[in-house]
Amino acid sequence: MLASDATIVGKHGFPALMPQKLIPDTMPLPMNYMMSDVNISKNWYHCFVGDEQFERYWHNFYKYVPYIRSAKGLISTDFSIYRDIPEETQIRNCYRNRVLTYAMQKINPNVIPTAGFGGENTWNWCFDGLPKHSTFAITTNGVLSDPEACRLFIGGVDTLVQTREPYALVVCGNYPEWLDTKYPKIRIIPILSYSQMWRSRARRCG
């Protein structure tokens, strides 16, 4: 098993991850680009794309080990913990994120854990296994235009900060400037989402 030697923590038995005080030094690309990228050793990759893009890593992880090992750095998987899906699915997806991140960290030293969360019912377990004082990645995809989703995003980030005391936060997607004033002691690094990257390329080519 991918995490058979991991330390297991929390009420749902998530693998404990290693802290990473890392900052991507290139703009991370969507992870589905990784296998075709001739410059894989020079690039970082993120998993803030549709879940179907990284189901392959869960079902056939060892096939992708050479790519994971070769990448300059990775932001780990983000199986969705949407507030409107059953809690059993939320827990399973969070577990899969921890297992795959643990497995990736064993073969590549530059893997930043993703801190995914859903509604308030998830906040007492969805950060289990995340280390303290680490860089984490979060996303604003689908959040800022929905008042309830935005409220839960703020509450989730507050809980992450209170319980894990991040070294830095990598934020994928539209960047809310209030993050800078709300968390002045945390280094915050915005990165482009998949759609933002394509819009940027379209403007350059237009």
Side-chain angles (χ1 to χ4, degrees), residues 133-145:
H133 313 301
S134 176
T135 299
F136 299 112
I138 59 175
T139 180
T140 63
N141 288 342
V143 167
L144 301 181
S145 60

Side-chain angles (χ1 to χ4, degrees), residues 120-136:
E120 294 172 69
N121 66 301
T122 70
W123 299 347
N124 66 347
W125 54 259
C126 67
F127 303 122
D128 289 348
L130 296 181
K132 283 194 169 185
H133 313 301
S134 176
T135 299
F136 299 112

